[in-house]
Amino acid sequence: MCKQIRPVLVFSGLLIAPFALCIAAQAQPKKVAHIGYISARTVESEKDWQAAFRQGLRELGYLEGRDILIEQRYAEGKYERIPELLEEVTGLNPAVLVVTGDPAIHAAKNANRGIPVVIIASPDPVGTGLVASLARPGGTITGLSDFHSGVVTKRLELLKEVAPSATRIAVLWNPNHPAHPGQLKEIQAVATRFKVKLIPLEVKTTDDFDRAFDPIRKERVEALIVLGDPAFFVHQAEIIQFAVKNRLPVISTLRQFAEAGGLISYGTSYPDLFRRAAWYVDKILKGAKPGDLPVEQPTKFELVINLKTAKQIGLTIPPNVLARADRVIK
């Protein structure tokens, strides 16, 4: 705050100039940083995650409207909309672009607008070519991995623990998802060890869901693995309904899957990832280069089991598996 200056009849600019500079400094508005945000999912599905992201920003001293403005766009599982959403948001020239959902993340990389990008929840940022390395990503991209590609075989192991007699297991996957081909290979590589035959079910678009479910009946599938995909997340109610109706043990990545009626979910906590993403935004707004900020991987994974669903499909969860669960829905 500028000190009050007594009126003095002096015609020299020595007193007038500091006073004028003080008034000008007070009148100058504070600069508000624009943050672009693009997701491959829906607004509703990310409600809790967005709350965590904003909480992380508040903890770092940022208030929306005063310090930052967030421009959000959602593809709602329709990947063909992502390029258009990127055009809209990058056209606003944000100081940093936050992107979640691997299809949207890779589209942002390919657009290469020179805007710093913070990614949230990429399954395999190095293996899919997003960054040069986790320690020194280089370029304009950094952020957080959910490491789902690294634990994809763990889901097969868990499924076999709860359904040991299952020998024909289907995998719902999207060949257009950057991380899915690698994840499918990982599961196929250990399938013989678990004495199972894998039946890949391709889903590229919403229209493919019904066609993908047909082979489950024909192939006498006994269990189902659903790979992490924003479009699958948008349509998880259909997947869960089909699995319960056909008495199929099913496992996927996000805890919301088990909370919505899926049998098991195993993966990292997304609210934690979104809260941590605020730290990257803060560093970049303060001048850090994305390529110098290491990409983080989660250290904790959540196992959620829905006993209501287990009862519906006539399955008993072994006590040793229940004992390892972070949450049991009864």
Side-chain angles (χ1 to χ4, degrees):
M1 183 179 294
C2 297
K3 294 181 180 179
Q4 187 175 1
I5 301 175
R6 293 181 181 178
V8 179
L9 192 59
V10 179
F11 293 96
S12 168
L14 293 176
L15 290 180
I16 297 173
F19 184 76
L21 288 172
C22 175
I23 295 297
Q26 287 183 331
Q28 185 176 2
K30 184 175 180 179
K31 187 176 181 181
V32 178
H34 286 246
I35 299 172
Y37 179 84
I38 295 178
S39 170
R41 302 180 182 86
T42 64
V43 177
E44 183 61 28
S45 67
E46 290 192 359
K47 187 168 58 177
D48 294 341
W49 305 347
Q50 276 297 318
F53 178 56
R54 283 168 161 79
Q55 178 62 30
L57 288 169
R58 285 194 295 271
E59 290 169 358
L60 292 165
Y62 295 95
L63 290 181
E64 279 190 79
R66 186 193 72 181
D67 308 297
I68 56 171
L69 287 176
I70 304 176
E71 290 285 347
Q72 296 172 284
R73 301 291 188 277
Y74 293 85
E76 300 178 334
K78 300 172 183 175
Y79 300 154
E80 66 275 10
R81 295 187 57 206
I82 292 173
E84 176 189 346
L85 301 182
L86 272 168
E87 284 286 341
E88 287 182 21
V89 175
T90 57
L92 300 172
N93 196 29
V96 59
L97 181 62
V98 180
V99 191
T100 183
D102 235 33
I105 289 171
H106 281 263
K109 176 182 171 60
N110 294 336
N112 192 22
R113 302 300 170 85
I115 298 171
V117 176
V118 174
I119 62 174
I120 307 178
S122 173
D124 185 7
V126 176
T128 57
L130 283 171
V131 296
S133 72
L134 297 178
R136 293 193 64 83
T140 59
I141 294 177
T142 188
L144 301 114
S145 168
D146 59 20
F147 198 56
H148 280 176
S149 290
V151 295
V152 68
T153 57
K154 179 67 177 178
R155 296 190 187 102
L156 174 58
E157 180 183 333
L158 283 165
L159 201 53
K160 281 293 290 182
E161 284 190 81
V162 301
S165 63
T167 57
R168 303 174 70 81
I169 297 178
V171 181
L172 199 66
W173 75 297
N174 181 354
N176 292 335
H177 188 290
H180 280 196
Q183 290 183 17
L184 183 61
K185 286 180 181 178
E186 288 286 333
I187 303 173
Q188 288 171 330
V190 300
T192 53
R193 174 154 59 91
F194 290 103
K195 299 179 180 179
V196 300
K197 177 184 178 181
L198 288 182
I199 299 151
L201 306 174
E202 285 191 11
V203 173
K204 296 179 182 178
T205 68
T206 303
D207 297 333
D208 290 338
F209 275 100
D210 289 339
R211 288 194 295 272
F213 290 155
D214 287 340
I216 289 180
R217 301 185 185 93
K218 295 175 183 177
E219 297 280 353
R220 302 189 306 281
V221 168
E222 299 164 290
L224 176 63
I225 297 172
V226 179
L227 299 187
D229 186 295
F232 295 175
F233 188 27
V234 170
H235 295 280
Q236 70 176 6
E238 301 165 45
I239 298 169
I240 291 168
Q241 185 179 18
F242 179 86
V244 171
K245 182 180 178 180
N246 290 274
R247 300 170 70 87
L248 288 175
V250 58
I251 187 168
S252 193
T253 59
L254 302 176
R255 68 178 299 155
Q256 286 94 330
F257 184 82
E259 291 170 346
L263 180 66
I264 303 173
S265 66
Y266 182 72
T268 191
S269 167
Y270 268 45
D272 288 348
L273 294 181
F274 274 70
R275 186 179 296 107
R276 182 60 179 164
W279 179 87
Y280 282 91
V281 171
D282 174 57
K283 289 295 182 184
I284 290 171
L285 290 180
K286 289 176 178 175
K289 295 180 179 179
D292 295 334
L293 299 174
V295 174
E296 291 186 4
Q297 295 194 100
T299 56
K300 184 179 182 299
F301 294 86
E302 300 176 313
L303 173 60
V304 182
I305 299 172
N306 192 319
L307 285 184
K308 290 182 181 179
T309 301
K311 185 177 181 180
Q312 280 182 287
I313 66 175
L315 188 69
T316 300
I317 306 295
N320 66 317
V321 177
L322 283 175
R324 303 201 306 269
D326 296 278
R327 185 185 175 196
V328 176
I329 301 171
K330 299 181 180 180

